[in-house]
Amino acid sequence: MRRALTGLALCSPLLLGACASTGNDYASQCERDYWENRQYATASGAALGAIAGAAIAGDGDRETGAAVGAVVGGLIGNQLSESEDPCGYGFGGYNRDGRYGYERVPRRGDYGYRY
């Protein structure tokens, strides 16, 4: 059991870092850099969490502390590196929450629109 937990603690940064990917072959360089940096943040958080978990845990539970610390650190690193609009593309969705106001922007060809 101890050997399995040690293996999990050592491999979890790699596993958590591989979870984040764009899944889009047509992503821009900025988006690819954002996801790569997010993977690094996840892996770094997992590594630091494993070190902290092993240091905080008692003498008989270092492997368990490292495994729990790696998972928690990876999740924290992933969430801290998240950005709503990392590349500055602006509005990217439907205005369902009223964040951009509720007034309608006229389009070309609308009735009463002046050029």
Side-chain angles (χ1 to χ4, degrees):
M1 180 68 177
R2 181 170 277 181
R3 193 174 285 172
L5 290 175
T6 303
L8 177 66
L10 294 175
C11 293
S12 59
L14 301 174
L15 296 174
L16 289 173
C19 291
S21 69
T22 61
N24 185 356
D25 293 335
Y26 300 105
S28 69
Q29 182 65 39
C30 175
E31 291 169 332
R32 289 191 299 265
D33 288 343
Y34 168 70
W35 286 107
E36 184 178 349
N37 291 339
R38 195 154 183 213
Q39 289 175 351
Y40 288 143
T42 303
S44 299
L48 290 173
I51 292 170
I56 292 171
D59 287 335
D61 293 329
R62 297 232 186 256
E63 290 84 10
T64 306
V68 171
V71 171
V72 172
L75 291 174
I76 290 172
N78 189 328
Q79 292 304 306
L80 288 178
S81 64
E82 183 178 18
S83 175
E84 186 174 319
D85 188 18
C87 298
Y89 295 142
F91 180 69
Y94 293 105
N95 185 26
R96 293 195 173 119
D97 60 355
R99 182 182 312 176
Y100 304 104
Y102 285 111
E103 61 273 353
R104 185 172 182 272
V105 177
R107 296 178 300 179
R108 184 179 217 142
D110 281 352
Y111 178 75
Y113 182 74
R114 297 182 185 179
Y115 300 103

